Amino acid sequence: MDQTTLVPRIPESRVLIIMTGGTICMKRGPNGFVPARGFLEACLAPRPSFNDGSNPGLIEVVSQRVSRNALRSLRTPLSQYDRHIRYAVLEFDTLLDSSSIDAKGWTEIAQAISFNYTLFDAFVVLHGTDSLAYTCSALSFMLQNLGKPVILTGSQAPMLELQNDATDNLLGSLIIAGHFMIPEVCLFFNYKLFRGNRTTKISANEFAAFASPNFPPLATITSLKTQVSWELISRPTCIEPFSIQTNLDTAHVACLRIFPGIKPEMVEAVLNVAGLRGLVLETFGAGNAPGGSDSAMTGVFAKAVRRGIVIINVTQCMTGSVSPLYESATFLGRTGVVSGHDLTSEAALTKLSYLLALNRLSIDDVTNRMATSLRGELTEYSPTEFQHPRVPLASAQNSLNRLNHVIAQGDIRQVRDIVSVEGDRLLNEVDSSGNTPLVCIS
């Protein structure tokens, strides 16, 4: 018997690296850094952490719907999980500038994943950092019924530079993609794996360039191991085939940041842009904007909503959520402006573009889904509901019971929410014991 047959086969994962461009692949040129092709040969093959020297040969990759190519593959050394990762690099014909990316570029990435979905166990997308959070959010909606890891990463310094973050970012992405079944679109940066549609760029030069302000990391790499928070991982809830939704409607949405002294005429000019279908409104604090029930600003928003423009209210703050704590936010909600809860601006814009591209949806469908979590992009708050075992509770009684419950819990935010929606009339209601709530909110 051939002795080679006695050697146990070490398992390996197949990961496709999709190179779209960005700082990670750049090299020095006469006038500064420029994108460079041949990333596998120049950056990965010479590094022992990316190449165990086994020369595993060619691997089949689909570059177009009917175009199959054999690309050189490399294999990582054996990991602490007793597994190799075999990978190839698919470079786009034209490397994308992340500051110029649009729905066409997102479609190209989604199609590359779709064409190779059955050939690989996971995907790592290399991308510039300027719009990385937007691309993560867009892909999270475009990749429907995703059942495999898709991890996006990049770097603040090119991999060919002596001091860089590219090596650790790419190796960390490969390790997680090749070892852990996390079927989400994620962003890996500075040893942390985030849910992609929860991220935002927080630094132009620090290696810790990204954060997920309202949702904890899905995984963290330390010197000892990779710690995955499995309870946070989102998985498909139905058995449906993987598919992609392309051509997000980014050409008919806009983002407007409210500032002190902004005039209604300025807002109206944006809302009157020809063909505009949706607006992400970045407001103060918990969702506040200038105006009142009869103000000119409120009237501008109300008229736009009546014309069928979907307006999403998100906070300018890094952390926190839009909530009807104050009168100004309540007035916005009454005009038909949709609460974006704790959506990032990136997630709100791409989600709105995704839903508006689904022609089968009505305006009401779009507004309802914007306030509902589709891919874990926002935190849904479910108020406590009370029900008598035999007799249905009246609406006022149910609201009063909820108010009593949150008062007992000391949850001032929920108290404010309930009172702002129900009004002072609720304070005059009595519960089944004849008690009335006495609330002092400063």
Side-chain angles (χ1 to χ4, degrees):
M1 180 182 293
D2 187 347
Q3 290 187 349
T4 59
T5 62
L6 300 177
V7 179
R9 181 179 180 275
I10 299 175
E12 66 178 18
S13 301
R14 289 192 171 197
V15 177
L16 179 63
I17 299 176
I18 300 173
M19 168 57 74
T20 71
T23 299
I24 193 169
C25 72
M26 289 187 175
K27 67 178 182 180
R28 291 181 182 269
N31 300 309
F33 289 115
V34 294
R37 305 191 65 82
F39 184 75
L40 183 140
E41 301 292 344
C43 298
L44 303 181
R47 287 177 164 80
S49 56
F50 290 94
N51 183 8
D52 68 352
S54 62
N55 191 24
L58 303 179
I59 194 169
E60 185 180 57
V61 176
V62 181
S63 57
Q64 299 292 334
R65 186 181 298 274
V66 295
S67 176
R68 292 177 177 263
N69 301 307
L71 298 182
R72 181 190 177 187
S73 66
L74 296 178
R75 184 182 283 122
T76 64
L78 191 66
S79 72
Q80 67 180 101
Y81 305 102
D82 295 324
R83 179 179 289 269
H84 291 289
I85 302 171
R86 187 181 175 190
Y87 63 91
V89 177
L90 173 62
E91 294 188 352
F92 281 3
D93 292 337
T94 301
L95 296 179
L96 304 176
D97 179 352
S98 70
S99 62
S100 301
I101 199 166
D102 55 13
K104 182 180 178 181
W106 294 336
T107 295
E108 192 174 355
I109 298 171
Q111 287 177 336
I113 294 171
S114 179
F115 296 156
N116 293 279
Y117 192 75
T118 60
L119 301 177
F120 292 87
D121 301 308
F123 301 87
V124 172
V125 180
L126 303 184
H127 192 289
T129 60
D130 285 348
S131 59
L132 183 53
Y134 285 95
T135 299
C136 286
S137 293
L139 290 176
S140 75
F141 301 113
M142 298 171 71
L143 305 181
Q144 302 172 134
N145 304 307
L146 182 63
K148 297 182 179 183
V150 174
I151 301 177
L152 285 83
T153 193
S155 67
Q156 296 285 69
M159 199 162 186
L160 290 173
E161 290 296 292
L162 178 61
Q163 290 183 294
N164 70 78
D165 58 331
T167 302
D168 287 337
N169 285 347
L170 178 50
L171 186 59
S173 299
L174 268 179
I175 293 295
I176 294 178
H179 291 83
F180 301 97
M181 178 47 68
I182 302 176
E184 296 197 38
V185 175
C186 305
L187 188 156
F188 183 85
F189 228 87
N190 198 41
Y191 308 108
K192 292 182 180 179
L193 183 77
F194 302 108
R195 176 169 294 159
N197 55 33
R198 290 285 194 154
T199 59
T200 189
K201 189 173 182 180
I202 60 171
S203 176
N205 50 17
E206 297 290 335
F207 285 160
F210 289 87
S212 174
N214 288 309
F215 199 78
L218 301 180
T220 302
I221 291 183
T222 68
S223 60
L224 298 177
K225 64 177 181 178
T226 300
Q227 182 65 48
V228 180
S229 299
W230 291 108
E231 73 279 3
L232 300 177
I233 306 303
S234 178
R235 296 176 178 84
T237 56
C238 60
I239 302 177
E240 296 289 342
F242 170 75
S243 63
I244 61 174
Q245 168 65 38
T246 59
N247 302 319
L248 269 62
D249 194 6
T250 55
H252 299 102
V253 295
C255 188
L256 176 64
R257 188 179 182 91
I258 294 295
F259 58 87
I262 189 171
K263 295 182 178 180
E265 295 83 3
M266 297 176 181
V267 178
E268 191 168 29
V270 173
L271 290 168
N272 284 333
V273 170
L276 186 72
R277 300 179 64 196
L279 177 73
V280 175
L281 187 68
E282 296 181 350
T283 55
F284 303 128
N288 307 311
S293 59
D294 299 320
S295 74
M297 184 74 78
T298 303
V300 169
F301 292 128
K303 285 192 296 183
V305 171
R306 286 196 295 270
R307 296 201 309 270
I309 296 177
V310 181
I311 304 177
I312 310 302
N313 185 4
V314 300
T315 177
Q316 297 176 9
C317 300
M318 184 66 72
T319 62
S321 175
V322 169
S323 180
L325 295 180
Y326 302 98
E327 186 179 70
S328 55
T330 302
F331 286 139
L332 280 179
R334 289 174 181 171
T335 66
V337 174
V338 181
S339 170
H341 299 286
D342 57 355
L343 279 170
T344 64
S345 295
E346 296 92 332
L349 191 73
T350 52
K351 182 179 182 180
L352 186 56
S353 302
Y354 164 74
L355 292 174
L356 291 174
L358 301 177
N359 295 325
R360 65 180 183 277
L361 296 184
S362 66
I363 295 299
D364 287 341
D365 291 333
V366 172
T367 56
N368 290 335
R369 296 193 189 192
M370 281 301 303
T372 304
S373 176
L374 301 181
R375 307 283 195 274
E377 71 280 1
L378 60 82
T379 304
E380 293 187 82
Y381 298 100
S382 301
T384 303
E385 294 291 338
F386 294 88
Q387 185 175 3
H388 192 278
R390 291 182 298 275
V391 181
L393 294 176
S395 175
Q397 188 70 51
N398 187 44
S399 297
L400 180 60
N401 287 340
R402 286 172 48 207
L403 180 60
N404 291 339
H405 175 73
V406 297
I407 291 174
Q409 297 295 318
D411 191 339
I412 298 301
R413 186 184 68 80
Q414 288 271 35
V415 171
R416 292 179 185 274
D417 287 354
I418 294 172
V419 173
S420 66
V421 172
E422 298 292 340
D424 293 341
R425 68 174 181 82
L426 190 61
L427 305 182
N428 297 320
E429 296 287 342
V430 296
D431 64 13
S432 57
S433 301
N435 299 319
T436 61
L438 180 60
V439 185
C440 179
I441 303 176
S442 60

PDB file of all heavy atoms in Angstrom, residues 386-398 401:
ATOM      1  N   PHE A 386     -50.304  43.454  28.105  1.00  0.00           N
ATOM      2  CA  PHE A 386     -51.029  42.778  29.173  1.00  0.00           C
ATOM      3  C   PHE A 386     -52.373  42.293  28.647  1.00  0.00           C
ATOM      4  O   PHE A 386     -53.019  42.967  27.833  1.00  0.00           O
ATOM      5  CB  PHE A 386     -51.254  43.735  30.353  1.00  0.00           C
ATOM      6  CG  PHE A 386     -49.974  44.142  31.038  1.00  0.00           C
ATOM      7  CD1 PHE A 386     -49.253  45.246  30.601  1.00  0.00           C
ATOM      8  CD2 PHE A 386     -49.479  43.402  32.086  1.00  0.00           C
ATOM      9  CE1 PHE A 386     -48.072  45.615  31.219  1.00  0.00           C
ATOM     10  CE2 PHE A 386     -48.295  43.757  32.717  1.00  0.00           C
ATOM     11  CZ  PHE A 386     -47.597  44.867  32.285  1.00  0.00           C
ATOM     12  N   GLN A 387     -52.802  41.144  29.120  1.00  0.00           N
ATOM     13  CA  GLN A 387     -54.050  40.568  28.635  1.00  0.00           C
ATOM     14  C   GLN A 387     -54.742  39.843  29.780  1.00  0.00           C
ATOM     15  O   GLN A 387     -54.130  39.053  30.513  1.00  0.00           O
ATOM     16  CB  GLN A 387     -53.788  39.587  27.489  1.00  0.00           C
ATOM     17  CG  GLN A 387     -55.062  39.047  26.854  1.00  0.00           C
ATOM     18  CD  GLN A 387     -54.764  38.187  25.646  1.00  0.00           C
ATOM     19  OE1 GLN A 387     -53.613  37.948  25.324  1.00  0.00           O
ATOM     20  NE2 GLN A 387     -55.791  37.719  24.986  1.00  0.00           N
ATOM     21  N   HIS A 388     -56.028  40.130  29.959  1.00  0.00           N
ATOM     22  CA  HIS A 388     -56.823  39.420  30.954  1.00  0.00           C
ATOM     23  C   HIS A 388     -57.077  38.008  30.449  1.00  0.00           C
ATOM     24  O   HIS A 388     -57.297  37.792  29.257  1.00  0.00           O
ATOM     25  CB  HIS A 388     -58.157  40.147  31.176  1.00  0.00           C
ATOM     26  CG  HIS A 388     -58.911  39.660  32.363  1.00  0.00           C
ATOM     27  ND1 HIS A 388     -59.697  38.538  32.325  1.00  0.00           N
ATOM     28  CD2 HIS A 388     -58.985  40.147  33.639  1.00  0.00           C
ATOM     29  CE1 HIS A 388     -60.250  38.344  33.518  1.00  0.00           C
ATOM     30  NE2 HIS A 388     -59.834  39.299  34.335  1.00  0.00           N
ATOM     31  N   PRO A 389     -57.037  36.998  31.328  1.00  0.00           N
ATOM     32  CA  PRO A 389     -57.195  35.618  30.851  1.00  0.00           C
ATOM     33  C   PRO A 389     -58.523  35.340  30.173  1.00  0.00           C
ATOM     34  O   PRO A 389     -58.622  34.443  29.342  1.00  0.00           O
ATOM     35  CB  PRO A 389     -57.045  34.779  32.131  1.00  0.00           C
ATOM     36  CG  PRO A 389     -57.243  35.737  33.265  1.00  0.00           C
ATOM     37  CD  PRO A 389     -56.778  37.063  32.773  1.00  0.00           C
ATOM     38  N   ARG A 390     -59.583  36.121  30.497  1.00  0.00           N
ATOM     39  CA  ARG A 390     -60.893  35.843  29.888  1.00  0.00           C
ATOM     40  C   ARG A 390     -61.478  37.031  29.144  1.00  0.00           C
ATOM     41  O   ARG A 390     -62.148  36.876  28.138  1.00  0.00           O
ATOM     42  CB  ARG A 390     -61.884  35.399  30.969  1.00  0.00           C
ATOM     43  CG  ARG A 390     -61.577  34.030  31.567  1.00  0.00           C
ATOM     44  CD  ARG A 390     -62.623  33.624  32.588  1.00  0.00           C
ATOM     45  NE  ARG A 390     -62.671  34.540  33.711  1.00  0.00           N
ATOM     46  CZ  ARG A 390     -61.870  34.452  34.771  1.00  0.00           C
ATOM     47  NH1 ARG A 390     -60.977  33.493  34.838  1.00  0.00           N
ATOM     48  NH2 ARG A 390     -61.963  35.316  35.761  1.00  0.00           N
ATOM     49  N   VAL A 391     -61.207  38.230  29.633  1.00  0.00           N
ATOM     50  CA  VAL A 391     -61.838  39.425  29.064  1.00  0.00           C
ATOM     51  C   VAL A 391     -60.767  40.298  28.410  1.00  0.00           C
ATOM     52  O   VAL A 391     -59.782  40.640  29.055  1.00  0.00           O
ATOM     53  CB  VAL A 391     -62.571  40.231  30.149  1.00  0.00           C
ATOM     54  CG1 VAL A 391     -63.241  41.456  29.531  1.00  0.00           C
ATOM     55  CG2 VAL A 391     -63.574  39.355  30.868  1.00  0.00           C
ATOM     56  N   PRO A 392     -60.934  40.660  27.119  1.00  0.00           N
ATOM     57  CA  PRO A 392     -59.953  41.555  26.477  1.00  0.00           C
ATOM     58  C   PRO A 392     -59.900  42.894  27.198  1.00  0.00           C
ATOM     59  O   PRO A 392     -60.925  43.454  27.587  1.00  0.00           O
ATOM     60  CB  PRO A 392     -60.503  41.705  25.049  1.00  0.00           C
ATOM     61  CG  PRO A 392     -61.418  40.549  24.859  1.00  0.00           C
ATOM     62  CD  PRO A 392     -62.007  40.248  26.197  1.00  0.00           C
ATOM     63  N   LEU A 393     -58.691  43.408  27.405  1.00  0.00           N
ATOM     64  CA  LEU A 393     -58.523  44.691  28.066  1.00  0.00           C
ATOM     65  C   LEU A 393     -58.770  45.833  27.090  1.00  0.00           C
ATOM     66  O   LEU A 393     -58.383  45.752  25.923  1.00  0.00           O
ATOM     67  CB  LEU A 393     -57.120  44.809  28.641  1.00  0.00           C
ATOM     68  CG  LEU A 393     -56.757  43.848  29.780  1.00  0.00           C
ATOM     69  CD1 LEU A 393     -55.295  44.051  30.168  1.00  0.00           C
ATOM     70  CD2 LEU A 393     -57.645  44.051  30.985  1.00  0.00           C
ATOM     71  N   ALA A 394     -59.403  46.908  27.584  1.00  0.00           N
ATOM     72  CA  ALA A 394     -59.575  48.102  26.764  1.00  0.00           C
ATOM     73  C   ALA A 394     -58.215  48.697  26.468  1.00  0.00           C
ATOM     74  O   ALA A 394     -57.257  48.498  27.205  1.00  0.00           O
ATOM     75  CB  ALA A 394     -60.468  49.107  27.495  1.00  0.00           C
ATOM     76  N   SER A 395     -58.162  49.468  25.376  1.00  0.00           N
ATOM     77  CA  SER A 395     -56.879  50.045  24.960  1.00  0.00           C
ATOM     78  C   SER A 395     -56.268  50.899  26.064  1.00  0.00           C
ATOM     79  O   SER A 395     -55.085  50.804  26.373  1.00  0.00           O
ATOM     80  CB  SER A 395     -57.074  50.884  23.698  1.00  0.00           C
ATOM     81  OG  SER A 395     -55.889  51.539  23.348  1.00  0.00           O
ATOM     82  N   ALA A 396     -57.108  51.754  26.705  1.00  0.00           N
ATOM     83  CA  ALA A 396     -56.603  52.625  27.767  1.00  0.00           C
ATOM     84  C   ALA A 396     -56.122  51.802  28.950  1.00  0.00           C
ATOM     85  O   ALA A 396     -55.103  52.106  29.575  1.00  0.00           O
ATOM     86  CB  ALA A 396     -57.691  53.612  28.191  1.00  0.00           C
ATOM     87  N   GLN A 397     -56.853  50.736  29.284  1.00  0.00           N
ATOM     88  CA  GLN A 397     -56.464  49.892  30.407  1.00  0.00           C
ATOM     89  C   GLN A 397     -55.136  49.193  30.134  1.00  0.00           C
ATOM     90  O   GLN A 397     -54.282  49.073  31.016  1.00  0.00           O
ATOM     91  CB  GLN A 397     -57.557  48.847  30.681  1.00  0.00           C
ATOM     92  CG  GLN A 397     -57.351  48.038  31.949  1.00  0.00           C
ATOM     93  CD  GLN A 397     -57.553  48.878  33.198  1.00  0.00           C
ATOM     94  OE1 GLN A 397     -58.555  49.551  33.341  1.00  0.00           O
ATOM     95  NE2 GLN A 397     -56.572  48.861  34.095  1.00  0.00           N
ATOM     96  N   ASN A 398     -54.978  48.726  28.895  1.00  0.00           N
ATOM     97  CA  ASN A 398     -53.737  48.057  28.522  1.00  0.00           C
ATOM     98  C   ASN A 398     -52.559  49.025  28.606  1.00  0.00           C
ATOM     99  O   ASN A 398     -51.479  48.698  29.113  1.00  0.00           O
ATOM    100  CB  ASN A 398     -53.864  47.485  27.113  1.00  0.00           C
ATOM    101  CG  ASN A 398     -52.669  46.629  26.728  1.00  0.00           C
ATOM    102  OD1 ASN A 398     -52.205  45.828  27.523  1.00  0.00           O
ATOM    103  ND2 ASN A 398     -52.178  46.805  25.516  1.00  0.00           N
ATOM    104  N   ASN A 401     -51.694  49.667  32.244  1.00  0.00           N
ATOM    105  CA  ASN A 401     -50.940  48.557  32.827  1.00  0.00           C
ATOM    106  C   ASN A 401     -49.479  48.581  32.383  1.00  0.00           C
ATOM    107  O   ASN A 401     -48.569  48.307  33.163  1.00  0.00           O
ATOM    108  CB  ASN A 401     -51.583  47.221  32.447  1.00  0.00           C
ATOM    109  CG  ASN A 401     -52.879  46.969  33.186  1.00  0.00           C
ATOM    110  OD1 ASN A 401     -53.146  47.569  34.230  1.00  0.00           O
ATOM    111  ND2 ASN A 401     -53.715  46.094  32.654  1.00  0.00           N
TER     112      ASN A 401
END
